[in-house]
Amino acid sequence: MGRAPMGRAPMRQPPDAPGILSGVLAGLAGGYLASLAGWPLPWMIGSLLGVALARCAGLATTPLPAGRQAGQWLVASAVGLHVSREAALALLHHLPLLLAGAVATLLLTLIGIAVLRRGGVDPATAFFASLPGGASEMVNLARRHQAQPAQVAAAHSLRLLLVLLLVPALFGWGLPRLPALSAPHPDWPALALLLPAGLLAALLWRRLGQANPWMLGPLLLCAIASASLDLQLALPGGLGQLGQWLLGCALGAHFDRAFFRRAPDFIVRVLIFSLLAMLAAAGLGALLGLLAGGHGRALMLGSMPGGITELGLTAASLQLSVALVSAQQLLRLLLVMLLAEPLYLGWRRLASQRSRRD
């Protein structure tokens, strides 16, 4: 009695319409107020804060179904279309230096490991919480190595929030602003081909089991098309803002009162090592800019422990080289995906050998 008949699929839960509406309204309010205040990336940062504050106030909000994927698709497409042929040639010219910089940014993981280990965090959790990689991939590796997945997810979510709140503001307000460039007009027939093609690339990337399909698929396709054909395209403003808003609402759903009440010492240590890593990344980017003979601001931005989508969009809004910023982030992501587990296993093997000698 009470068992579902054989052969019948379990019933799906109906969408939480009131929760979705609350999230939509909170995100719209936050994005609109941030745009009035003149914030950088207002519809992403404002909607993130709006949803997060609503959840911290006890308001039940539910993310839009597939909202994060749709937001990544639109934002990644916008970032990819900013990659011009000239920027792609500069990227190829500086590729060895960018690869060296991506390896150097991996060393920033040592800051997080040191800070978290002093707080009594176990080695696996400290390692995967400190790597500048995607949260979902690091959580999967944390589960595989008996770490604390909730703490790893919290560390990556909090660091992303910190980067989104500080980095665009510092680069937009704390440094000299460049003269505004005239934005290219949207070419609707070309966009009608590229946007669905980017969606298909995301689905193919996901089918192949690759990391971050909804961001890397559209970004790479649009960047290759824009650079090789010298398209000079851009998404219309409303479509780009829609992508920012969808992504910001999805990110804000990670935060509530329980998140900030959970292990306050751990959260403080995550904030400390995130700030230290950002300072170290800024110094590294400045050094790369000197070695490259220019592009100092773009290389500083690309060295930050954020994500390709968020920092690429920041670069586009500040008229910096989107190609250099995205390339730094992409190279680092690939290195993290390839080396995270071997590096962890090697570190634990060395620690085990040292403890046996002692």
Side-chain angles (χ1 to χ4, degrees):
M1 187 174 179
R3 298 178 65 179
M6 294 293 291
R8 182 177 297 176
M11 294 181 62
R12 292 183 178 181
Q13 293 292 330
D16 178 14
I20 292 174
L21 180 60
S22 298
V24 166
L25 293 177
L28 286 174
Y32 178 68
L33 291 175
S35 65
L36 289 180
W39 286 11
L41 303 181
W43 288 98
M44 180 185 290
I45 298 175
S47 59
L48 187 157
L49 288 178
V51 172
L53 289 174
R55 291 173 62 83
C56 288
L59 185 64
T61 66
T62 304
L64 277 168
R68 178 181 62 84
Q69 292 88 339
Q72 284 187 308
W73 165 52
L74 291 173
V75 169
S77 299
V79 171
L81 289 175
H82 276 86
V83 179
S84 64
R85 178 173 293 174
E86 182 182 1
L89 292 175
L91 163 63
L92 293 175
H93 178 70
H94 296 302
L95 190 58
L97 184 64
L98 294 177
L99 183 59
V103 173
T105 56
L106 283 182
L107 297 177
L108 301 180
T109 302
L110 298 174
I111 299 174
I113 292 174
V115 172
L116 293 179
R117 290 290 289 144
R118 283 183 174 273
V121 177
D122 64 272
T125 300
F127 183 86
F128 293 112
S130 304
L131 273 177
S136 58
E137 292 81 19
M138 293 304 103
V139 168
N140 290 335
L141 289 173
R143 290 196 181 98
R144 189 182 303 176
H145 294 282
Q146 290 76 51
Q148 301 295 321
Q151 288 188 329
V152 173
H156 285 281
S157 299
L158 198 58
R159 184 170 63 225
L160 180 59
L161 176 63
L162 195 65
V163 167
L164 278 176
L165 292 180
L166 294 182
V167 170
L170 292 175
F171 275 79
W173 297 333
L175 296 174
R177 294 190 66 85
L178 300 175
L181 301 177
S182 57
H185 296 291
D187 183 341
W188 287 108
L191 291 175
L193 290 175
L194 284 175
L195 288 178
L199 182 60
L200 290 175
L203 293 171
L204 176 62
W205 199 272
R206 186 182 66 171
R207 178 89 175 187
L208 295 175
Q210 301 301 312
N212 297 320
W214 296 97
M215 176 264 295
L216 288 179
L219 189 151
L220 290 175
L221 184 137
C222 290
I224 291 171
S226 179
S228 60
L229 301 176
D230 202 17
L231 295 178
Q232 303 293 323
L233 288 180
L235 289 188
L239 206 55
Q241 290 170 351
L242 173 63
Q244 287 189 45
W245 172 74
L246 286 169
L247 193 54
C249 289
L251 292 171
H254 287 91
F255 303 97
D256 54 19
R257 278 184 290 185
F259 175 89
F260 292 103
R261 286 175 178 170
R262 188 186 307 125
D265 178 70
F266 176 80
I267 289 177
V268 169
R269 289 182 178 275
V270 169
L271 290 174
I272 291 172
F273 91 69
S274 297
L275 289 171
L276 291 174
M278 289 165 64
L279 288 173
L284 173 65
L287 176 61
L288 292 175
L290 290 175
L291 295 175
H295 301 290
R297 293 176 67 189
L299 293 169
M300 286 174 65
L301 182 62
S303 301
M304 290 292 155
I308 301 178
T309 308
E310 296 81 17
L311 294 182
L313 197 60
T314 303
S317 69
L318 297 174
Q319 295 121 46
L320 300 178
S321 174
V322 175
L324 291 180
V325 172
S326 300
Q328 281 181 281
Q329 294 288 316
L330 178 59
L331 286 172
R332 187 173 65 199
L333 176 64
L334 293 175
L335 285 174
V336 168
M337 297 303 300
L338 291 172
L339 300 178
E341 200 163 32
L343 285 175
Y344 173 74
L345 293 174
W347 174 46
R348 297 313 300 155
R349 191 179 302 114
L350 288 174
S352 176
Q353 293 172 356
R354 185 176 302 172
S355 64
R356 283 200 300 269
R357 285 198 302 266
D358 295 340

